[in-house]
Amino acid sequence: MTKPLEGIKILDFTHVQAGPVCTQLLAWFGADVIKVERPETGDITRSQLRDIPNVDSLYFTMMNGNKRSITLDAKNPHGQQVLEELIKICDVLVENFAPGVLDRMGFTWEKIHAINSKIIVASVKGFGPGPFEDCKAYENVAQCTGGAASTTGFRDGIPLVTGAGIGDSGTGVHLALGIVTALYQRTHSWKGQRVLAPMQDAVLNLCRVKVRDQQRLGRGSLTEYSQFGEGIPFLDAVPRSANDSGGAQPGKVLKCKGWETDPNAYIYFITQAQVWDRICKVIGREDWISDPDFAKPPKRLTHLREIFDTIEAWTVGYSKFELMDILNKENIPCGPVLSMKDLLEDDALYATGTLVKVDHPERGEYVTIGPPVKLSDNVVRVERSPLLGEHTDEILTDVLGLDAQRVAHLKASGATGSKAFQARVGSSR
Ligand code: CAO
């Protein structure tokens, strides 16, 4: 069976998280991803947060599966020549360097486009055109500047960043969509284009409901926020709403059996209007079904604290998994707070390929996250990340068709790394 992106060659000039997540997705969908890395160090994450000495970190291995790695010094004239040859034959160049880095390497859009008018150049930057466009950015910078931090946390606490990589991985996913869209457009425009995914914009896009609320705030209180029911006035910006639901169905994180010792013995409980009667019955408060203060959603808004306190007095008698069972039988939407340990022990996630065990020649077996999007005609085989420069020879000879003499000349020039580095790489394989 052919892969959806079979035949597409990606020149992967990405590092850290946002770019690598994007190209890994494309690799799972069948693109040939050639990761260009700086000799000696490679992608900086190879050596960051290592759990095993001298072995590629999980930070790296989990973002770079199904790719090939070539080491190239982009500042060496021979390395630049190889890059030009790769640009000639690739469909997409993806990069997430700091603003201006690619230009300083000598690869401006104009030059890349002149080499290959059909290539798509896709970039992650911290910001789009504007006052911050020259600034570097990391995950939490994006969360703070994209509206996530100011709306996350408790009302009386400081802004919080979330553990989910919405700035990095979130932007990478946005970029992947931009790339496949540009590839599709190229099938009738016959030319490449630039694709830009600024991290601030991606986070703001994910904070869409808060942008909604900012505009609603101009016309009155946000009645579904618990602070409304508690009589606390709103200021001029969307407040942090703790665990309030972002939609019109009030919800809250509630304690479950064992919460005193287990920090994750909690469940998210949604008082969905459609099943209010069932909620009242299951928690033993049938009287609320006809009580004028509780029967209709608008009336309930000023009683949310009492409602959730009462529900919690019931949930605390059961484990989060027992509650999942009881509540789903009644069609009541809820979600147990699953720890990373819970998730990594979940056989169902392995069965669907969302969690995958892969073998690595240096670290042994590790768990990685496979494609979270499943295509019925694309069976993905998740493969380990490449070692630094593992495919340098293969790419020079098989992909670029260079002869042995040219390869030897290139290596002697230091374009793929110093002699000592090449000897180290060679001896470790
Ligand atoms: N050969 C030679 N040089 C190379 C090279 C190669 N193969 N690959 C990278 N380099 C060089 C670059 O040319 C650059 O050198 P100069 O500054 O001298 O031009 C240098 O490596 C560093 O690049 P950088 O500025 O992108 O890296 P940094 O570690 O200083 O910053 C980051 C990292 C992420 C803050 C920055 O790249 C950035 O803001 N990127 C855009 C936003 C983004 O993607 N952030 C998400 C990161 S995930 O948390």
Side-chain angles (χ1 to χ4, degrees), residues 13 15-18 36-39 44 59 72-75 96-99 101 104-105 124-126 135-139 168 199:
F13 230 156
H15 64 162
V16 202
Q17 185 180 160
V36 175
E37 295 182 81
R38 207 188 328 210
I44 194 170
Y59 196 6
L72 267 187
D73 181 352
K75 291 176 180 158
N96 67 318
F97 291 124
V101 167
R104 284 202 293 280
M105 279 179 186
V124 167
K125 294 288 166 256
C135 303
K136 288 182 174 179
Y138 281 107
E139 172 70 52
D168 283 340
M199 295 167 74

Side-chain angles (χ1 to χ4, degrees), residues 221-244:
S221 294
L222 306 173
T223 52
E224 77 284 12
Y225 281 51
S226 45
Q227 97 176 59
F228 170 73
E230 290 164 26
I232 297 165
F234 287 82
L235 302 177
D236 61 355
V238 172
R240 294 187 263 292
S241 54
N243 291 317
D244 288 347

Side-chain angles (χ1 to χ4, degrees), residues 21 41 89 173 188 194 198 224 247 250 255 290 308 325 352 407 425:
V21 159
T41 49
I89 59 152
V173 173
H188 39 274
R194 279 174 288 179
E224 77 284 12
K255 290 172 184 160
S290 52
F308 284 117
D325 200 36
T352 58
V407 172
V425 170

